[in-house]
Amino acid sequence: MSKITAAITAVGAYVPDYVLTNDILATMVDTNDEWITSRTGIKERRILKDKDKGSSFLGIKAAEDLIAKKNLDPKEIDMVIFATATPDLPVAATAAYTASQIGAVNAFSYDLQAACSSFLYGMSTAASYIESGRYKKILLIGADKMSSIIDYTDRTTCIIFGDGGGAALFEPNDEGLGLQDEYLRTDGIGREFLKIEAGGSILPPTEETVAKRLHFVKQDGKTVFKYAVSNMADASSKILERNNLTGADVNWLVAHQANKRIIDATANRMGLDQEKVLMNIQRYGNTTSATLPLLLHDYEKQLKKGDNIVFASFGGGFTWGSVYLKWAYNS
């Protein structure tokens, strides 16, 4: 019997209509388009303005896009993994609500939280379930309403993040396509440099925590940048070494869209030509758990069956890693 591998067989995505440009941000905080573009590569980001809608709305829309394109019966989905840093509610899993809303009534589901590495870790999780032989169709969703946890008076964070959702369907493959290898890591030192101070079990919400704006993302930008550049590049280089690949063997780099300079450093370390680097950070900013599936969606028509793709991510915690995958279909 040939080994079962886990392949991505469909993708979907959704971004909100409202476009928050650098020029609009410059009317809100002390910044400008040139400063933001030169340091991050971001020109605009999408924002979900409806206060009654959360990350589940973005994930549901992305899943519905995939289901329609694939002509998939949601009842056939065995499992839904919702990768997010911004769940709708504490305790009640966003995945459970999402699965019910899209008609995946036979699926079990749960949330996966690893900050910006959530979707990458979710790929490993979904692949493991498929390779076990117990499940045939796993829907991995990455969605974040980052605007819900961003302080728009803090110019160090509000320029970076946007809202969006993406989804990928994992199914068994007997042609040797799909996920080939992974290199995933964490380091708890990151807890101090990228976090939301209040709202957890250490510092529950109070009038004081709200008044002090402790429920928004805070980061030590220089430290996070330093760790992200070295670790994302290291992980991507390591995955090439382990699989006897060079930059010439890689068709595409699908890297977390946090900062163009980090993506460029990763590509350079891998010896990749710029045309092999998928990038949409200029349009969406950092959508956290949604960046990787949004890239797959935006570039789907360029991906060919058998293409060697390296995924890379870095997030709070710190969490980071790289995945090597062979693409399974022609769009």
Side-chain angles (χ1 to χ4, degrees), residues 34-200:
E34 190 280 328
W35 193 92
I36 298 171
T37 304
S38 64
R39 284 161 178 78
T40 68
I42 301 168
K43 301 293 287 185
E44 58 189 41
R45 64 291 291 146
R46 300 299 183 95
I47 303 296
L48 181 58
K49 299 287 277 185
D50 193 329
K51 290 183 171 61
D52 296 328
K53 293 183 171 70
S55 295
S56 64
F57 175 79
L58 302 167
I60 289 164
K61 287 289 192 181
E64 289 174 342
D65 179 47
L66 182 154
I67 288 165
K69 283 163 56 181
K70 181 73 170 171
N71 195 24
L72 173 68
D73 181 353
K75 295 184 181 69
E76 295 178 1
I77 299 171
D78 300 311
M79 177 180 180
V80 176
I81 302 172
F82 201 107
T84 187
T86 55
D88 284 4
L89 304 167
V91 184
T94 304
Y97 176 73
T98 300
S100 295
Q101 291 298 111
I102 64 173
V105 293
N106 296 313
F108 76 101
S109 53
Y110 58 83
D111 295 356
L112 192 157
Q113 206 281 80
C116 294
S117 300
S118 297
F119 192 86
L120 190 81
Y121 283 20
M123 291 176 69
S124 169
T125 306
S128 297
Y129 278 111
I130 293 290
E131 289 165 7
S132 76
R134 293 200 300 273
Y135 304 99
K136 304 298 184 191
K137 291 184 186 339
I138 297 178
L139 183 63
L140 172 61
I141 298 169
D144 271 302
K145 186 181 178 182
M146 290 303 294
S147 60
S148 67
I149 56 171
I150 296 302
D151 181 354
Y152 285 93
T153 67
D154 176 9
R155 69 174 184 171
T156 64
T157 56
C158 74
I159 65 169
I160 298 168
F161 296 97
D163 302 338
L169 182 68
F170 283 78
E171 295 187 89
N173 183 278
D174 58 7
E175 301 176 272
L177 303 172
L179 198 143
Q180 307 292 307
D181 195 16
E182 62 184 46
Y183 180 78
L184 306 176
R185 290 291 181 270
T186 57
D187 186 344
I189 194 173
R191 181 175 167 120
E192 293 306 308
F193 304 114
L194 178 52
K195 62 184 175 182
I196 295 176
E197 195 113 12

Side-chain angles (χ1 to χ4, degrees), residues 212-320:
K212 289 184 175 179
R213 306 180 78 79
L214 299 182
H215 295 269
F216 295 116
V217 169
K218 294 283 189 291
Q219 75 167 350
D220 178 338
K222 287 183 179 177
T223 302
V224 173
F225 180 85
K226 181 183 73 174
Y227 275 95
V229 167
S230 61
N231 285 318
M232 210 158 99
D234 282 350
S236 303
S237 178
K238 178 82 72 177
I239 209 87
L240 295 188
E241 289 172 26
R242 285 179 19 162
N243 292 278
N244 297 313
L245 300 172
T246 67
D249 301 312
V250 176
N251 297 99
W252 308 104
L253 171 64
V254 179
H256 173 55
Q257 306 287 290
N259 185 300
K260 186 177 183 296
R261 291 185 292 168
I262 298 172
I263 300 165
D264 289 342
T266 301
N268 291 337
R269 180 75 173 275
M270 295 170 67
L272 285 186
D273 297 331
Q274 196 61 38
E275 60 266 21
K276 293 182 174 183
V277 182
L278 305 191
M279 203 165 320
N280 58 16
I281 188 173
Q282 67 278 10
R283 295 205 307 279
Y284 306 137
N286 182 353
T287 55
T288 307
S289 307
T291 61
L292 301 185
L294 276 174
L295 281 171
L296 292 179
H297 173 268
D298 285 3
Y299 287 89
E300 184 182 14
K301 289 179 179 168
Q302 292 175 232
L303 309 179
K304 304 299 181 198
K305 186 174 180 178
D307 278 358
N308 288 324
I309 303 178
V310 172
F311 294 78
S313 198
F314 181 89
F318 290 127
T319 61
W320 73 94

